[in-house]
């Protein structure tokens, strides 16, 4: 029987719908499409931030120095970088609806060391019972230890949980641990698959 549903944030609840702000800076700086996001998230400092070993400010300071930006230019870049992100309100409302029957958790590879505070800032803290970020734990998905932290905080076993993520390697890791999982491609598909899993697992 399913008792809890665990959701990724970036790429699931919060998605970049408009890349134009990032592309503008990539063109200006002579970067390839997607290279700016790679610098922010996949640089050595970006990976350290996901593990809680570097701060948000340190990552952006490094990006600014790497690109030779003035402080004012860096502020503009940061604004444009996030400008195309949109919160999926329909999916958030769906999660709120789940809470009458299931426990819910947020599980994110994220620079934030306080997942609840991050969710409060986003206006989605009421979606979840439990908040887990990689920066808090010092472990990133698909390491099974971070899934186990979420399960332990929900006080459920792997077969009692469903995990939703947009990266297939993270989904496969959850399944290897014994959880059911949904590979997110869009909001409708994810809700439909979740409903099927929840219905099939009902007593």
């Amino acid at each position: 029987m399913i008792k809890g549903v665990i959701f990724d944030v970036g790429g699931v609840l919060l998605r970049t719908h408009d890349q134009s702000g990032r592309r503008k800076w990539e063109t200006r700086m002579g970067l390839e499409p997607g290279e700016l996001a790679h610098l922010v998230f996949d640089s050595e400092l970006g990976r350290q931030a996901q593990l809680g070993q570097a701060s948000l400010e340190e990552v952006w300071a490094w990006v600014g120095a790497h690109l030779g930006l003035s402080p004012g230019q860096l502020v503009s870049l940061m604004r444009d970088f996030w400008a195309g992100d949109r919160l999926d309100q329909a999916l958030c409302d769906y999660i709120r609806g789940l809470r009458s029957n299931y426990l819910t958790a947020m599980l994110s590879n994220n620079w934030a060391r306080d997942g609840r505070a991050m969710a409060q800032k986003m206006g989605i803290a009421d979606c979840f019972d439990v908040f887990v970020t990689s920066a808090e734990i010092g472990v990133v998905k698909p390491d099974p230890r971070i899934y186990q932290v979420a399960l332990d905080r929900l006080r459920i076993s792997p077969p009692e949980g469903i995990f939703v993520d947009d990266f297939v390697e993270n989904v496969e890791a959850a399944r290897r641990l014994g959880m059911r999982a949904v590979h997110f491609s869009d909001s409708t598909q994810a809700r439909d698959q979740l409903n099927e899993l929840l219905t099939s697992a009902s007593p």
Side-chain angles (χ1 to χ4, degrees):
M1 183 176 177
I2 297 300
K3 295 183 179 179
V5 188
I6 303 172
F7 292 86
D8 178 35
V9 178
V12 176
L13 298 181
L14 184 70
R15 305 192 297 276
T16 304
H17 288 270
D18 182 1
Q19 297 276 355
S20 60
R22 300 182 186 186
R23 296 293 177 264
K24 177 181 72 176
W25 283 93
E26 287 167 342
T27 299
R28 182 181 299 179
M29 305 306 301
L31 303 175
E32 294 295 322
E35 191 173 350
L36 183 56
H38 179 77
L39 285 174
V40 174
F41 297 121
D42 299 323
S43 65
E44 180 61 29
L45 204 59
R47 289 192 295 269
Q48 289 177 10
Q50 288 193 18
L51 291 167
Q53 299 169 0
S55 68
L56 173 70
E57 293 77 17
E58 288 172 326
V59 173
W60 281 111
W62 177 84
V63 171
H66 181 78
L67 296 176
L69 302 178
S70 69
Q73 288 173 322
L74 180 58
V75 169
S76 296
L77 169 61
M78 292 167 59
R79 181 189 62 239
D80 292 341
F81 186 86
W82 302 116
D85 286 5
R86 299 289 182 271
L87 189 64
D88 189 331
Q89 295 291 352
L91 185 54
C92 291
D93 287 341
Y94 172 83
I95 297 170
R96 292 182 179 102
L98 289 176
R99 295 193 68 194
S100 60
N101 296 303
Y102 303 97
L103 297 167
T104 59
M106 178 191 87
L107 177 57
S108 176
N109 284 353
N110 198 284
W111 302 345
R113 295 186 176 124
D114 186 336
R116 183 182 296 274
M118 181 189 82
Q120 287 172 339
K121 186 175 181 180
M122 295 171 63
I124 60 172
D126 63 324
C127 290
F128 304 107
D129 299 289
V130 163
F131 307 82
V132 180
T133 69
S134 59
E136 175 204 355
I137 302 301
V139 176
V140 298
K141 295 174 291 184
D143 190 309
R145 290 175 293 175
I146 194 169
Y147 301 86
Q148 193 61 56
V149 168
L151 291 166
D152 289 347
R153 289 184 181 179
L154 289 172
R155 298 183 180 181
I156 64 175
S157 65
E160 294 173 326
I162 300 176
F163 176 65
V164 182
D165 198 289
D166 58 314
F167 282 99
V168 66
E169 59 267 30
N170 296 339
V171 169
E172 290 172 348
R175 288 173 176 155
R176 285 194 297 271
L177 195 61
M179 301 174 68
R180 296 173 176 86
V182 171
H183 182 207
F184 181 96
S185 61
D186 63 65
S187 186
T188 300
Q189 162 266 336
R191 292 197 305 269
D192 287 348
Q193 289 192 18
L194 266 172
N195 288 335
E196 289 176 10
L197 287 172
L198 293 170
T199 299
S200 66
S202 297

